[in-house]
Amino acid sequence: MDNLSLKERDLRNIWHPCTQMKDHEKLPLIPIKQAEGIYLEDFDGNRYIDAVSSWWVNLFGHQHPYIKSKIVEQLDSLEHIIFAGFTHEPIVRLSERLVKLTPQNLTKCFYADNGSSAIEVAIKMSFHYNKNRGLTKPYFVSLNNSYHGETIGALSLGDLGIYKKSYEEMLIKSIKTDVPKDKSEEEAIKAAKKLKEILKERAFEISAFVVEPLVQCAGNMHMYSPLFLKLASELCKEFDVHFIADEIAVGFGRTGSMFACEQAGIKPDFMALSKGITGGYLPLSVVLLTEEMYDSFYCDYNEHKSFLHSHSYTGNALACAAANAVLDIFENDDVLNKNREKIKYIGKKLNEFSKLNNIENIRQTGMIAAFDIKGFEPKERIGLRVYEYGLKNGVLLRPLGNTIYFMPPYIITFEEIDKMMDTAYEAVSLIERK
Ligand SMILES: *Cc1c(COP(=O)(O)O)cnc(C)c1O
């Protein structure tokens, strides 16, 4: 089957995510024939470095022999079973491991199959917990510039107009507060003060504070200090508001530590995980929560106190096998330690971008590096030019507005880091300063 016909057949029947389909009149879709390691290969034999880890999910490259073998092995015993009333070994083992890896106070796992659903679980549970103790607290606080997914509840917590604006009238109740402007402690303290003012006045009607720890990924890779998380966590305790850590994008080593919360030394009431959890192989998400939360729902049958939330594919055994394989790799290959050298190297390369006079806000947190192109309006879609240049030269960069970022699979080599970042450098040098 040739490339052209696949493109045409796709457009006849498919509507792609996060895409204005009319763009494909000019910008061709790229059918991928196969993916291996950090490379995607099309039908003409062009190879692209997957510099965005296939939307931040792929940690160890495509067709990783070990993850693949573990999924295949799982296929020989069971692929998926109903997860109410039944259980299986891969999920029990995965849960034990997640409980061990995450902050001590998190002892129970509630599963779903995508990030947005994990957020829905966390906010429903938080609200319901309060109901169980006779309090009605329908509001949630989240940060300016945040992103928590695109189902209605998760969308309500987010603050990115492009995803949200068209649905404003149908969203749930949320309050926005300032995200620290940069990585300085001064801005962290300022933002915490703002949060305190809100909690002081309205904590009685607020169930939870929801936050993307350290990096707001969809919000143009905006980064801030761990101090803010520490202060916000203290405030949440003081005002009896849950702290929900949305580690869907930053979990599993992205920020340099296994989980971003570790860098602030905090103990959130909920932690939502997805994306990297299966190394990008299968959909899975989980919310980790406290014993106290669990206990508040634990009673003789009472329909008002039970958490009657479910998804058909909850606890999929193949996904759990992939997740266990991912955790094996973290253990066996000393991934976090090995990433340290790569993080340093990416940082060094990133500094070279300061020679370009058409960019600003060069920033890095762990295995995420970013900068902004200066002087263009979003509607000029300057990122698209970088995207096209990247594709022509073998690198899949997918800018967020004017933000160019690197978020590669951890198996990227030093030479491939060169190729990825040098290509972006060339692309940006070709853009006239405005
Ligand atoms: C991607 C993302 C989500 C939503 O996850 P989906 O699986 O796309 O629904 C939520 N929060 C953050 C921080 C994310 O990056």
Side-chain angles (χ1 to χ4, degrees):
M1 189 186 327
D2 68 310
N3 193 345
L4 189 81
S5 76
L6 208 53
K7 254 187 273 194
E8 284 173 345
R9 284 165 58 204
D10 176 294
L11 292 176
R12 217 176 289 149
N13 296 121
I14 300 173
W15 187 345
H16 288 261
C18 211
T19 301
Q20 170 47 262
M21 291 303 290
K22 191 165 192 294
D23 284 353
H24 284 311
E25 288 179 8
K26 286 201 196 113
L27 194 71
L29 256 177
I30 306 174
I32 293 299
K33 187 176 170 194
Q34 64 169 14
E36 195 170 354
I38 65 162
Y39 294 95
L40 310 184
E41 187 178 331
D42 70 17
F43 285 78
D44 299 322
N46 299 311
R47 276 153 53 93
Y48 311 95
I49 291 181
D50 190 352
V52 297
S53 296
S54 282
W55 254 351
W56 321 340
V57 298
N58 191 295
L59 301 187
F60 301 117
H62 302 274
Q63 297 219 49
H64 190 285
Y66 182 73
I67 303 176
K68 201 159 133 180
S69 75
K70 288 296 176 183
I71 296 170
V72 171
E73 194 182 298
Q74 184 57 41
L75 269 171
D76 284 334
S77 55
L78 73 94
E79 69 301 311
H80 179 76
I81 55 162
I82 177 172
F83 199 56
F86 295 84
T87 193
H88 51 78
E89 192 274 341
I91 203 161
V92 172
R93 187 151 47 95
L94 177 62
S95 307
E96 289 169 352
R97 298 173 89 177
L98 291 174
V99 164
K100 242 186 223 147
L101 285 167
T102 51
Q104 271 172 23
N105 61 323
L106 303 173
T107 55
K108 291 282 194 287
C109 300
F110 192 101
Y111 287 88
D113 49 25
N114 65 82
S116 304
S117 295
I119 295 297
E120 302 289 339
V121 165
I123 62 177
K124 279 178 71 181
M125 224 180 245
S126 169
F127 176 80
H128 199 158
Y129 166 92
N130 283 307
K131 261 282 170 73
N132 287 347
R133 53 178 189 155
L135 299 173
T136 302
K137 300 172 99 187
Y139 284 87
F140 294 88
V141 184
S142 52
L143 297 182
N144 290 333
N145 191 50
S146 60
Y147 178 88
H148 297 286
E150 288 168 44
T151 52
I152 296 302
L155 191 65
S156 308
L157 302 174
D159 183 42
L160 300 181
I162 49 167
Y163 305 115
K164 189 172 178 180
K165 206 153 189 241
S166 311
Y167 310 98
E168 208 61 65
E169 298 86 349
M170 62 189 283
L171 300 179
I172 65 165
K173 296 168 179 173
S174 85
I175 303 165
K176 293 290 168 298
T177 185
D178 288 350
V179 62
K181 284 200 179 67
D182 54 38
K183 289 177 87 164
S184 70
E185 300 209 328
E186 193 187 337
E187 290 298 333
I189 291 165
K190 241 197 255 173
K193 271 197 188 126
K194 207 59 181 270
L195 176 63
K196 184 169 185 174
E197 282 166 27
I198 291 171
L199 294 183
K200 224 176 181 170
E201 211 172 291
R202 303 184 64 178
F204 70 93
E205 55 181 356
I206 295 169
S207 270
F209 169 65
V210 188
V211 62
E212 296 159 89
L214 299 187
V215 188
Q216 295 182 312
C217 293
N220 293 359
M221 300 294 164
H222 181 72
M223 300 174 186
Y224 62 86
S225 161
L227 177 63
F228 175 70
L229 296 174
K230 192 170 166 283
L231 297 173
S233 159
E234 286 165 8
L235 288 171
C236 286
K237 288 211 168 52
E238 181 183 342
F239 289 98
D240 195 20
V241 162
H242 291 136
F243 186 107
I244 302 177
D246 175 353
E247 294 234 11
I248 290 165
V250 294
F252 299 99
R254 252 317 145 190
T255 65
S257 46
M258 192 61 166
F259 300 105
C261 282
E262 291 167 30
Q263 296 183 39
I266 54 169
K267 291 186 179 150
D269 299 293
F270 296 91
M271 189 184 271
L273 303 172
S274 187
K275 292 211 163 96
I277 191 169
T278 66
Y281 275 69
L282 288 152
L284 182 71
S285 66
V286 59
V287 177
L288 284 114
L289 51 115
T290 63
E291 207 64 17
E292 186 199 349
M293 178 65 48
Y294 178 82
D295 285 345
S296 96
F297 291 85
Y298 197 86
C299 61
D300 292 325
Y301 187 80
N302 169 345
E303 60 188 271
H304 301 296
K305 248 183 148 179
S306 301
F307 190 63
L308 299 179
H309 183 109
S310 63
H311 296 288
S312 312
Y313 279 92
T314 298
N316 180 269
L318 296 173
C320 292
N324 277 313
V326 163
L327 294 181
D328 291 344
I329 295 171
F330 270 103
E331 282 173 21
N332 300 337
D333 296 358
D334 197 18
V335 172
L336 295 178
N337 259 327
K338 283 193 187 140
N339 276 359
R340 274 194 200 126
E341 285 305 306
K342 289 178 188 171
I343 289 168
K344 239 192 255 162
Y345 190 68
I346 289 171
K348 209 174 93 203
K349 298 277 300 179
L350 194 64
N351 276 338
E352 291 170 20
F353 282 81
S354 57
K355 288 184 212 141
L356 294 169
N357 62 6
N358 59 351
I359 67 160
E360 59 191 349
N361 301 328
I362 297 176
R363 56 199 182 273
Q364 180 188 17
T365 299
M367 290 293 282
I368 309 172
F371 59 83
D372 304 331
I373 298 175
K374 251 198 283 211
F376 289 84
E377 292 295 314
K379 64 169 187 286
E380 294 177 89
R381 302 179 77 182
I382 193 69
L384 209 55
R385 273 174 47 195
V386 176
Y387 176 71
E388 290 180 296
Y389 185 91
L391 288 180
K392 274 201 197 93
N393 292 280
V395 185
L396 165 52
L397 300 157
R398 200 174 193 278
L400 291 155
N402 298 352
T403 299
I404 313 299
Y405 73 90
F406 309 100
M407 199 156 160
Y410 304 158
I411 56 156
I412 192 167
T413 64
F414 291 90
E415 295 75 44
E416 288 162 342
I417 291 173
D418 284 343
K419 162 87 176 159
M420 169 180 81
M421 295 181 75
D422 292 347
T423 303
Y425 192 96
E426 288 155 24
V428 177
S429 1
L430 293 172
I431 294 167
E432 299 280 305
R433 174 155 190 201
K434 273 213 169 172

